Amino acid sequence: MTARTEHQPQMSVEDFEQLERHAPETVRLEFIHGMVQVKAVTDGNHDQIIAWLQRLCMQHRPELWLYADRGMQVEKYRRGRARPDGVLAPFGFIRGHGDWSDAEGVLMAVEVTSYDSDTHQRDRVEKPDAYASAGIPVYLLIDRDDCSVVVFDQPEDGRYRHTEKLPFGAPVKLPDPVGITLDTEPLKELAD
């Protein structure tokens, strides 16, 4: 669910961060395009997909780590805050960071769709723009609604210039700077 009204005053990042710190554990909040968004709590298959991807990244790129649910500063213009399901960066990337890391050094942001009413707007529309505007080279969307993997890359002017969508089971090449090819056959079992 996204909190949106036509004449809603813009919340400051500082106010959002205070609200987020006091939110119950059953709620995950994000601040994208100046709006507070509630992100659904994950289910077991969602978490297993992140674990599957984490293991593949470790096998192919042991100098990197897929940090789960890392708070990221996105959107240079509105100073947004997002919690990607995963952030691929050099191991040790978060050392010395507070709750929200700058996107510099992040190679890829990952989202796995949740079964909620706001998934389309959040994961397929707003997140690509937010991650592109932050300069994250690759955005990987694992879309359980239509059993596809979508790779966004070549960020420029707040948008990804290239997108490739493939079905679960197809090999998926994550472009440089990630440089990993995923065997997505195991995702077929985790689509439910």
Side-chain angles (χ1 to χ4, degrees):
M1 170 196 275
T2 302
R4 291 188 183 113
T5 61
E6 198 169 310
H7 301 290
Q8 179 179 3
Q10 294 292 316
M11 174 182 274
S12 73
V13 172
E14 293 76 18
D15 288 345
F16 166 77
E17 288 179 351
Q18 183 164 351
L19 176 66
E20 197 269 340
R21 274 193 296 275
H22 294 93
E25 290 181 16
T26 56
V27 175
R28 296 170 63 200
L29 299 178
E30 296 180 306
F31 190 58
I32 300 174
H33 297 310
M35 301 290 183
V36 175
Q37 299 184 2
V38 179
K39 188 172 178 179
V41 177
T42 62
D43 59 51
N45 284 0
H46 180 285
D47 293 345
Q48 188 62 40
I49 290 170
I50 293 299
W52 162 81
L53 185 58
Q54 194 171 47
R55 182 172 38 178
L56 287 176
C57 290
M58 281 178 41
Q59 289 172 347
H60 295 281
R61 299 287 307 270
E63 76 280 14
L64 303 176
W65 189 257
L66 187 70
Y67 295 94
D69 292 319
R70 179 73 206 146
M72 296 297 304
Q73 297 174 15
V74 295
E75 296 181 61
K76 294 176 185 176
Y77 172 66
R78 290 200 176 133
R79 297 174 40 198
R81 301 289 185 265
R83 286 200 182 276
D85 292 322
V87 173
L88 186 67
F91 185 78
F93 163 75
I94 62 172
R95 190 173 335 156
H97 292 199
D99 292 337
W100 304 97
S101 295
D102 185 271
E104 187 173 334
V106 172
L107 306 180
M108 178 173 70
V110 178
E111 295 290 352
V112 177
T113 57
S114 299
Y115 299 117
D116 64 25
S117 63
D118 205 39
T119 288
H120 174 74
Q121 186 66 27
R122 184 183 58 246
D123 293 338
R124 298 181 192 108
V125 177
E126 294 172 352
K127 292 280 183 89
D129 291 349
Y131 297 149
S133 73
I136 297 174
V138 178
Y139 170 42
L140 176 65
L141 174 62
I142 299 174
D143 195 328
R144 298 188 293 169
D145 290 332
D146 69 357
C147 298
S148 69
V149 178
V150 186
V151 179
F152 299 80
D153 68 318
Q154 302 175 18
E156 184 177 294
D157 298 327
R159 300 244 187 244
Y160 286 106
R161 290 184 357 202
H162 181 258
T163 304
E164 182 174 19
K165 182 175 184 174
L166 297 161
F168 284 2
V172 174
K173 183 179 184 323
L174 300 176
D176 289 336
V178 179
I180 297 172
T181 298
L182 303 175
D183 171 8
T184 66
E185 190 67 31
L187 293 177
K188 289 180 175 180
E189 297 174 18
L190 299 170
D192 300 330

